[in-house]
Every structure is written in structure tokens, then in C-alpha cells.
Amino acid sequence: MPLTRKVGKDVAEQYEADERLAADYDARLAAAREAERALRDAQGADQPGPELHELTIAFDKAMTEVLAAAEAAERIAMGPKTYVSDAQDAKARRAAEIARRKAKARPSVRPWTDEVDRLRTAREAHRLSFRTRPAAAV
């Protein structure tokens, strides 16, 4: 008799999707580093505005993708009990919320939580430093 809680099909699908996304974390992180390097090289070479703007947007997209992969890896580390689906009732949603908060305190999850925080901070610092959207015409 297994001691683990059975998960529904929809939760299992979400978990598998996160596993696939988390598997690409290293590749996405390398792509973000490459995009940042290209942006910094272009800044150092004083490239024209439109080219610099395209590189800024590419770096922002790469940071968003690596952040999504890190968040998926964090959810994987927390386990399937922390997932919630639309079909579940309020009691199950609350149980998943409590399981998520408990899981964030585990030593196996903490590195991923720190990585998500680091990536989110870096992305927001980039967004505040560089304009990724054109200014609104008044």
C-alpha cells in the first residue's frame, strides 16, 4: 500500500509539463547569458538605438523564459501535493496552499526559491534600467 497521496490526472499533467519546462532550465539560462552578453557588447560598441532596443527586448524575453523554467523547477521540488486544479474544491485548494508554504521551508526547495528570487530581481532591474516598450505618445 503506497503512503503517497494520489493525484488527479489534471495535476499529473501540470506536474509533467513542469518537468519538461524545468529540464530546459540550463539551456534557457545559457541563452539568457548569451543575450545579456550581446546586449552589453552592443552597449560598449555604441550601436544605434533600434538595434540596441531589439537586443534589450531579446534579453527581456530570455530572462522571462529562464524565470519560468526556474519557477517550474521550484514547483517540481515542492512536489505534486502543492498543485491545484480548477476542478478541486476550496478545501483541496487550501491544503495545496499550506503544502506550498511548508515546502518552501524545506532545504531541497530553498535553492530554487533563492534562484527564482534572484532571476526575478535581475529581470525587474533590467526592465527598470532599459525601456522595452516605446513611450506613449501624449
Side-chain angles (χ1 to χ4, degrees), residues 78-96:
M78 285 190 223
K81 288 190 336 184
T82 61
Y83 285 80
V84 67
S85 68
D86 294 333
Q88 292 177 327
D89 61 347
K91 187 175 181 180
R93 288 177 186 270
R94 180 65 179 151

Side-chain angles (χ1 to χ4, degrees), residues 59-77:
F59 180 53
D60 183 63
K61 287 181 181 178
M63 286 297 292
T64 301
E65 289 176 0
V66 74
L67 179 61
E71 288 171 342
E74 180 186 33
R75 288 190 299 268
I76 292 296

